[in-house]
Amino acid sequence: MSVPDELRQTDASRPRHPRRPSGDAQHVTLAPRLASVILTSALLCYLGITALNIAGTDLDPLPRTICLICLVVIFVLQLRHSRPGAERAPIAHKAASLTAQALLTYLPLMIFDSHWGAMAGFLSGSLLLLLPPRLAWPLYGTVGLSMLAPPAIEGRPLLDSLYLLQSTLLTGLVIYGLSRLSALVQQVHNTKNELARMAVTKERLRISRNLHDLLGYSLSAITLKTELIHRLVLTHPQRAKAEVEDVLALSRQSLADVRRVSRGLRDMSLQAELDSVSGLLKGTDVDVTTRVELDELAPEVDTVMAAVLREAITNLLRHSRAATCSIEAVQRDGRVRLVVGNDGVDPVYRDTSQHSGAGLDNLRMRLRSVSGRLVVEESDGTFLLIAEAPVSVERDHRGTAEEADLWETEEPTVLPQSGPAA
């Protein structure tokens, strides 16, 4: 049914307002900017103090102009030194910029005397930011001690020398702390964004894996039974009616599986899946033999093993022409083993679809999450899938190597060779 042109035009002309971020999102976005603004404001305040000190002297306009130029250059250098990752710059670049800042710190003292002493705090902070700690801290202290000299040369009291020493060291620490804080805020912001992207990717993979493992079985069974109904509807109407009821049951199960995806497959049962797949395979003329020796399993292990069984049967229905199928689910000595085999492997068959092989990779990931393992063997037309896991995940972490080795001595059932089903 087509959409009327007037409705389409109305929808197209409707203004689209960008979605405004939430309060938390705005806070996260503004945090790095706020940290950078605080750092820049602090640098400007220190520069302003020096500028006011120079303005209060009786210097001529030329020295004052030189003062302003030097302050601007120092400000630019300090911004360069305080930016995130500045310590990873090449050694030659760091040496050149620190040398320039040192010259701009000590040479103007000849003109502006102690009024220029506050700029030594910038140099001490840059040393802490750019150099390794073993070298930075001694040089930081040396710069501070060097500021004892200008007031003494001018004949000022010792208190002025101590004040300039203390202000130089304090300014260096403030600049170093604010620069590191700004870099840390930016790093946390980037990390949070990366974690958010990883969480989205992980959720997409979970949904994709769950849809594949849950719906692949149901849809394959519905397809197979629908083909069977198509053949039986004229010759065996009663059996076709029974198959239709099975398809309806599978359809309802598929709907429940879709809802289950949002819950992460937390309520699947291996015993229930065994009963379901056994009935399905018997209805498709596959000779099924089962051996079940199960007690209570941990919920997460029960769910994973049920998903393994479902994927194994899905592969049998979609990719093989099996005449016989063997299923074993045995629990012993704190471990559970599931073995599914069939004789319907086509040696020339290759699945060229985009998601070929994703099912087995999904199962390996699931089994690793419960400290289990998956083994797949294929030879001479026979396919064998072996999944092992501890009955309880906590028990597996405390278990011994001998417990796991008990399974190595037991050979899984090997299916007899037979031709493919007609």
Side-chain angles (χ1 to χ4, degrees):
M1 183 176 180
S2 61
V3 180
D5 292 338
E6 58 272 14
L7 292 181
R8 186 182 295 111
Q9 293 172 358
T10 301
D11 182 71
S13 60
R14 184 181 299 124
R16 299 181 182 272
H17 299 285
R19 185 177 180 180
R20 298 183 62 183
S22 63
D24 291 341
Q26 289 179 337
H27 174 73
V28 172
T29 304
L30 291 176
R33 299 178 184 176
L34 180 60
S36 178
V37 168
I38 292 175
L39 172 62
T40 304
S41 300
L43 296 179
L44 289 175
C45 288
Y46 280 114
L47 292 172
I49 292 174
T50 300
L52 291 175
N53 290 335
I54 301 299
T57 63
D58 55 355
L59 293 174
D60 295 333
L62 179 61
R64 294 187 180 186
T65 303
I66 295 175
C67 170
L68 292 177
I69 295 174
C70 291
L71 288 176
V72 171
V73 175
I74 288 178
F75 177 71
V76 173
L77 286 174
Q78 191 59 57
L79 287 179
R80 180 183 178 87
H81 296 164
S82 296
R83 76 183 191 279
E87 70 279 2
R88 296 190 295 271
I91 296 178
H93 293 178
K94 293 191 292 186
S97 61
L98 285 174
T99 300
Q101 189 172 9
L103 293 175
L104 291 172
T105 298
Y106 288 104
L107 291 180
L109 288 173
M110 301 177 183
I111 303 175
F112 308 116
D113 300 326
S114 299
H115 299 294
W116 192 256
M119 293 298 97
F122 281 50
L123 177 61
S124 62
S126 296
L127 292 171
L128 294 177
L129 289 170
L130 298 184
L131 298 181
R134 291 181 300 176
L135 182 62
W137 287 104
L139 290 177
Y140 162 80
T142 301
V143 171
L145 292 174
S146 68
M147 289 298 105
L148 293 172
I153 294 175
E154 299 171 23
R156 294 189 178 189
L158 178 60
L159 187 62
D160 290 349
S161 297
L162 294 177
Y163 172 80
L164 191 56
L165 165 66
Q166 183 267 346
S167 63
T168 298
L169 297 179
L170 178 60
T171 301
L173 288 177
V174 170
I175 292 175
Y176 173 74
L178 289 177
S179 300
R180 285 289 184 240
L181 179 61
S182 179
L184 180 60
V185 170
Q186 184 64 52
Q187 182 179 359
V188 170
H189 174 72
N190 295 338
T191 302
K192 188 168 185 178
N193 289 341
E194 184 64 26
L195 289 175
R197 286 191 292 268
M198 291 175 62
V200 171
T201 302
K202 182 178 180 181
E203 182 64 11
R204 288 175 178 171
L205 289 174
R206 183 190 72 82
I207 294 175
S208 174
R209 183 169 60 245
N210 291 352
L211 285 174
H212 178 280
D213 294 347
L214 282 173
L215 295 184
Y217 166 80
S218 300
L219 296 179
S220 297
I222 290 173
T223 301
L224 190 64
K225 282 188 170 290
T226 303
E227 293 174 352
L228 180 60
I229 293 170
H230 182 71
R231 296 196 301 267
L232 296 176
V233 67
L234 296 178
T235 58
H236 300 82
Q238 293 300 322
R239 184 178 175 187
K241 182 179 179 180
E243 295 296 339
V244 169
E245 293 177 355
D246 289 344
V247 170
L248 290 174
L250 286 170
S251 300
R252 297 188 186 99
Q253 180 62 41
S254 299
L255 181 59
D257 289 342
V258 172
R259 296 192 183 103
R260 188 182 296 153
V261 167
S262 63
R263 301 195 301 272
L265 273 75
R266 289 192 290 266
D267 55 354
M268 293 180 68
S269 168
L270 177 57
Q271 185 64 59
E273 290 300 320
L274 284 167
D275 297 338
S276 175
V277 300
S278 297
L280 174 64
L281 292 177
K282 289 177 181 178
T284 56
D285 297 328
V286 177
D287 185 13
V288 182
T289 59
T290 60
R291 176 189 170 198
V292 180
E293 298 178 8
L294 292 176
D295 293 326
E296 185 177 358
L297 301 175
E300 60 272 21
V301 177
D302 202 13
T303 295
V304 169
M305 299 304 285
V308 171
L309 177 60
R310 178 172 285 203
E311 177 62 21
I313 301 304
T314 300
N315 288 339
L316 183 150
L317 296 174
R318 295 177 59 188
H319 308 311
S320 75
R321 301 175 61 190
T324 60
C325 177
S326 174
I327 303 175
E328 293 184 4
V330 181
Q331 180 177 337
R332 191 180 69 184
D333 297 315
R335 297 183 70 83
V336 58
R337 165 184 273 196
L338 175 66
V339 181
V340 181
N342 70 80
D343 64 344
V345 175
D346 185 353
V348 299
Y349 174 80
R350 292 293 182 273
D351 188 358
T352 59
S353 62
Q354 180 181 1
H355 302 289
S356 173
L360 294 179
D361 291 338
N362 290 345
L363 297 184
R364 290 189 177 94
M365 293 175 61
R366 292 189 187 280
L367 283 165
R368 282 198 298 267
S369 70
V370 293
S371 304
R373 64 172 184 168
L374 179 72
V375 178
V376 176
E377 299 177 1
E378 182 178 333
S379 62
D380 299 329
T382 300
F383 178 85
L384 201 64
L385 181 146
I386 307 170
E388 299 177 8
V391 173
S392 171
V393 178
E394 292 78 12
R395 176 180 175 83
D396 181 65
H397 291 311
R398 299 190 303 267
T400 61
E402 292 79 10
E403 220 175 57
D405 292 340
L406 288 174
W407 291 104
E408 303 298 333
T409 60
E410 181 180 340
E411 295 294 331
T413 300
V414 179
L415 295 174
Q417 299 295 318
S418 66

